[in-house]
Amino acid sequence: MAATALTIDGLEVSFGSVKAVNNVTMTIAEGELRVLLGANGAGKTTLMDLISGRTHSTSGHIHLYDTEITNWQEHRIARAGIGRKFQIPSVFRELTVRQNFEVASCRNPSVFANLGFGFSRHALARIEEVLAIVDLRDKADVTAAYLSHGQTQWLELGLLMLQDPKVILLDEPTAGMTAAETKKTANIINSMRGKHTLLVVEHDMAFVREIAERITVLHLGEVLAEGDIASIETNEAVRRAYLGSRSIS
Amino acid sequence: MASRQRYDFLLYGLFVAAILLAPLMLDEFWLNRIAKYLVFGMLGVAVALSWGYAGILNLGQGLFFGAGAYMLAMSLKLASPTSLQQGSDTPVPDFMLWNAEPGALTQLCCINKGSFIWLPFQSQWFGVAMGIVLPVVIATITGLIVFRNRISGVFVSIITLALVLLVRLLVIDAQPLTNGFNGLTDLAWLTIGAFQSDPYSRATYYLVAIALSLVLVGARLLVSTRAGLILQATRDDETRARYLGLDVPSYQIFFFVVSAAICGFAGMLYVMVSEFASPTFMDLSFSITMVVWAAVGGRSSILGACVGAILINMIEAKVSETKALVEVWKAVVGLIFVLVVLYLPRGLGGFAHDLLDRWRAPATEAASDEGLVAESRDALAERG
């Protein structure tokens, strides 16, 4: 059996009197692709915020492999091996695509280590590879602000590949995409499978079917169900809570 | 990209050659003036670094400029003939005597309560070193507090603005120590071996010109390092940079401090060419003027901001001394600012880059023109 990449144990956070995430416990195995489903306000993004250090939990623990990373600062969590893609694409808009990738391939976080020029042959080769994977090779010298919405999303996925974290959190990677773009995104994500452990928040069921192995359903901050796509689609509790009485999609 | 860098370095080379060759065409009076403007050009470099590259609009650059200026001026004041001839073993600045209480001992150590601070400044090199060290220390402390607490945007501007005004007030208030409003005047020349910083000598002009060239090229190299690239990334999206594992505040602090050190250095050079240090260096208007220079020159271009500072000062000098414009010269200069901000939002530097791109483009453009022609032919065919 594969090692456990991410362990979430009794995680809770409250904003005022609202418990946004309530006693969530889940484990994700190394190399797994887990999809998080849930209606608006179910706590999916908050859970990602907690894992990546943007929000601090009120109780519970998060382990990355054997390291407890609960409530660390964001850049330390990132360096420990958790990468995150935001719902609204977030890239370095005034830099070119290639420069974006160069920033992401800086391994050493300190200023003084980065006072040199240029990048290693290995890093440059890896940048070319990623440019090919996300299909931005002919846009390499274009300023990121001029990319289309889909291309910006792929650029951000590319940043994550270069950062090369053990666990990657993707928050609605296909939001606002056309069907063709969604298909391409699914291919990119499938190419990341195996190399990284992935946790994906998504609403688009066609896309979920394309990529999902196991699904965790959140409802009002709690884990409602967990299983493969067939068992979730037929789960009575999920139907009632998330989909109303009608069937999925 | 590579060819653009080549053009960039060509432009830097031209600029350095121009300021080094200027003495061939100018008399001592103008050389001294231009030397002052070159110092302002150095301030332009500092503003471009922190505003253009780090996205930190520091409205208190004058604090670092003033700190550098005062540190050197204190040493030069003690070395001046009047300070040496007060009939005591140690040099004593004249204004301390004017402000001294009756019966006070005429010694630097104890003529007033704080005068002992001046003791180490008897060494000229202590003043020179402090001219960099003090701005760096102030910037490091400010930077640690501001950036570690993730203060950003307009709040940084407000804090730095308040800080420069606070220090200005303290300097004016400590009249017996700093000569208050009057500042430090009647300074000696800085002596390095056989060189003396006579402000109207060619040697002093060359000192300033070479210093500016080094700072300019150094800053340009610094922003093309990996750290420079990461800094621009943090400017564009701090959160993204943080989630890539980069320690964002350390980059902001580092470049904030470098910018402060350049300002301190400029302050020292300014003391050499103008022979005084005054609290006006820490006036709000001066710090804001620096930002205007950078905006006109192009804050995203280090050379642009530097040239902007020099050009504006030359235009101001020319216009204010033209008889017909004596009454309205400020309006003329203001009009230039408005026009630049309206029509060249990226300043002269951005304009120059656009021109360069257009000039280099013909080859690629011709190719894409062909493509366009083919496309429209197809479109026509479809319609037909």
Side-chain angles (χ1 to χ4, degrees):
Chain A
M1 192 188 149
T4 309
L6 193 66
T7 315
I8 296 166
D9 183 22
L11 201 63
E12 290 191 13
V13 68
S14 18
F15 302 117
S17 60
V18 182
K19 273 221 159 119
V21 167
N22 187 10
N23 195 20
V24 167
T25 299
M26 59 196 277
T27 56
I28 302 175
E30 185 171 47
E32 189 182 335
L33 192 159
R34 176 73 61 93
V35 173
L36 269 183
L37 278 182
N40 285 333
K44 306 178 302 281
T45 300
T46 310
L47 184 61
M48 290 210 161
D49 285 348
L50 288 169
I51 298 171
S52 59
R54 177 170 239 191
T55 309
H56 284 187
S57 61
T58 32
S59 71
H61 306 275
I62 305 167
H63 284 84
L64 176 67
Y65 290 86
D66 295 327
T67 320
E68 169 148 18
I69 56 164
T70 323
N71 297 347
W72 280 14
Q73 280 190 315
E74 294 108 312
H75 71 274
R76 286 188 64 212
I77 293 181
R79 242 181 287 158
I82 291 188
R84 173 168 188 189
K85 192 196 158 308
F86 293 92
Q87 197 165 352
I88 298 158
S90 147
V91 297
F92 306 121
R93 302 183 65 79
E94 282 179 49
L95 303 183
T96 65
V97 169
R98 190 186 299 279
Q99 286 176 323
N100 267 274
F101 284 168
E102 285 173 353
V103 171
S105 36
C106 288
R107 279 284 157 273
N108 197 319
S110 115
V111 188
F112 296 102
N114 284 320
L115 283 179
F117 299 97
F119 294 84
S120 69
R121 196 174 297 238
H122 174 74
L124 290 176
R126 179 73 190 135
I127 289 175
E128 288 304 320
E129 264 176 60
V130 172
L131 276 172
I133 295 173
V134 298
D135 197 22
L136 287 174
R137 212 188 254 152
D138 51 337
K139 301 275 180 196
D141 292 322
V142 174
T143 307
Y146 300 132
L147 294 179
S148 73
H149 175 72
Q151 287 166 334
T152 313
Q153 299 269 29
W154 299 327
L155 173 59
E156 200 179 3
L157 285 175
L159 291 179
L160 287 175
M161 286 184 212
L162 285 161
Q163 184 195 352
D164 200 20
K166 296 174 194 129
V167 174
I168 293 182
L169 315 175
L170 301 175
D171 201 346
E172 296 198 33
T174 66
M177 281 189 174
T178 63
E181 286 173 333
T182 305
K183 180 87 188 131
K184 203 157 147 188
T185 309
N187 288 340
I188 295 174
I189 291 177
N190 277 326
S191 81
M192 295 164 90
R193 192 193 282 258
K195 294 175 204 131
H196 309 276
T197 307
L198 292 145
L199 181 60
V200 186
V201 165
E202 194 47 78
H203 286 300
D204 183 341
M205 282 312 293
F207 177 73
V208 170
R209 283 205 196 86
E210 193 90 26
I211 61 165
E213 295 164 355
R214 278 179 80 77
I215 298 177
T216 299
V217 182
L218 287 182
H219 184 60
L220 300 178
E222 293 179 45
V223 176
L224 187 68
E226 197 172 303
D228 59 20
I229 190 148
S231 74
I232 292 296
E233 278 183 324
T234 51
N235 186 310
E236 267 309 312
V238 173
R239 285 187 176 213
R240 269 198 311 278
Y242 175 40
L243 302 156
S245 51
R246 289 172 51 217
S247 71
I248 289 180
S249 72
Chain B
M1 274 336 252
S3 66
R4 178 164 201 175
Q5 205 144 32
R6 214 178 313 139
Y7 282 108
D8 240 26
F9 281 112
L10 184 72
L11 285 176
Y12 278 70
L14 280 176
F15 176 79
V16 169
I19 62 172
L20 289 179
L21 292 177
L24 297 180
M25 288 167 280
L26 296 167
D27 59 19
E28 273 81 8
F29 174 73
W30 265 97
L31 271 188
N32 174 260
R33 275 190 151 182
I34 300 286
K36 281 181 196 164
Y37 303 160
L38 294 188
V39 172
F40 294 154
M42 198 181 280
L43 291 176
V45 172
V47 175
L49 258 188
S50 79
W51 188 27
Y53 281 85
I56 301 161
L57 177 55
N58 179 353
L59 288 182
Q61 297 279 15
L63 170 58
F64 306 127
F65 181 77
Y70 265 89
M71 289 300 105
L72 181 62
M74 282 166 81
S75 269
L76 297 184
K77 179 73 186 170
L78 289 183
S80 82
T82 44
S83 303
L84 292 167
Q85 290 160 3
Q86 303 294 356
S88 67
D89 315 336
T90 48
V92 177
D94 46 12
F95 67 85
M96 286 195 187
L97 286 172
W98 306 333
N99 288 299
E101 283 174 29
L105 195 62
T106 316
Q107 289 290 351
L108 190 55
C109 65
C110 19
I111 186 163
N112 61 42
K113 264 185 264 163
S115 64
F116 66 91
I117 297 176
W118 281 69
L119 283 172
F121 287 92
Q122 290 177 75
S123 153
Q124 166 191 295
W125 294 112
F126 182 80
V128 171
M130 285 305 286
I132 300 286
V133 171
L134 186 66
V136 164
V137 169
I138 300 174
T140 310
I141 296 171
T142 319
L144 278 172
I145 296 171
V146 168
F147 299 118
R148 286 276 168 224
N149 289 312
R150 296 200 189 162
I151 296 169
S152 63
V154 70
F155 299 103
V156 181
S157 307
I158 293 171
I159 290 171
T160 48
L161 183 151
L163 202 62
V164 69
L165 291 182
L166 175 72
V167 173
R168 176 178 169 277
L169 207 63
L170 290 176
V171 167
I172 291 175
D173 205 44
Q175 159 86 17
L177 269 187
T178 61
N179 205 17
F181 268 118
N182 307 309
L184 301 174
T185 51
D186 180 29
L187 306 178
W189 293 342
L190 183 73
T191 314
I192 308 169
F195 165 77
Q196 288 212 311
S197 67
D198 172 0
Y200 290 92
S201 71
R202 269 156 212 275
T204 303
Y205 175 84
Y206 278 117
L207 175 76
V208 174
I210 292 170
L212 175 63
S213 307
L214 291 178
V215 166
L216 193 63
V217 174
R220 179 65 182 78
L221 289 175
L222 191 61
V223 296
S224 44
T225 60
R226 288 190 299 276
L229 186 64
I230 293 173
L231 180 77
Q232 295 171 62
T234 64
R235 170 200 65 197
D236 284 0
D237 196 327
E238 241 177 76
T239 317
R240 178 74 269 170
R242 200 169 283 134
Y243 283 90
L244 285 176
L246 298 163
D247 185 15
V248 173
S250 70
Y251 286 85
Q252 293 171 323
I253 295 167
F254 178 77
F255 281 87
F256 187 69
V257 169
V258 169
S259 169
I262 293 175
C263 283
F265 185 42
M268 290 200 282
L269 291 174
Y270 195 77
V271 164
M272 279 184 227
V273 292
S274 67
E275 294 184 287
F276 75 96
S278 116
T280 53
F281 296 171
M282 289 177 274
D283 278 357
L284 184 55
S285 60
F286 186 54
S287 290
I288 289 181
T289 306
M290 287 182 214
V291 172
V292 173
W293 297 337
V296 169
R299 62 170 159 140
S300 53
S301 156
I302 287 174
L303 181 61
C306 173
V307 172
I310 297 168
L311 274 185
I312 289 179
N313 280 288
M314 285 170 75
I315 291 173
E316 274 187 4
K318 276 282 177 202
V319 172
S320 66
E321 285 158 22
T322 307
K323 229 178 191 155
L325 298 172
V326 164
E327 301 286 332
V328 294
W329 71 274
K330 282 206 165 169
V332 173
V333 173
L335 190 68
I336 295 175
F337 292 162
V338 172
L339 288 177
V340 168
V341 171
L342 277 180
Y343 294 105
L344 302 171
R346 294 195 297 133
L348 298 174
F351 182 60
H353 270 161
D354 290 348
L355 276 187
L356 261 182
D357 285 347
R358 209 169 297 168
W359 180 56
R360 282 192 302 118
T364 48
E365 219 164 80
S368 68
D369 274 355
E370 258 168 49
L372 270 181
V373 170
E375 239 169 68
S376 53
R377 210 187 301 131
D378 292 348
L380 276 177
E382 254 171 54
R383 230 180 287 162

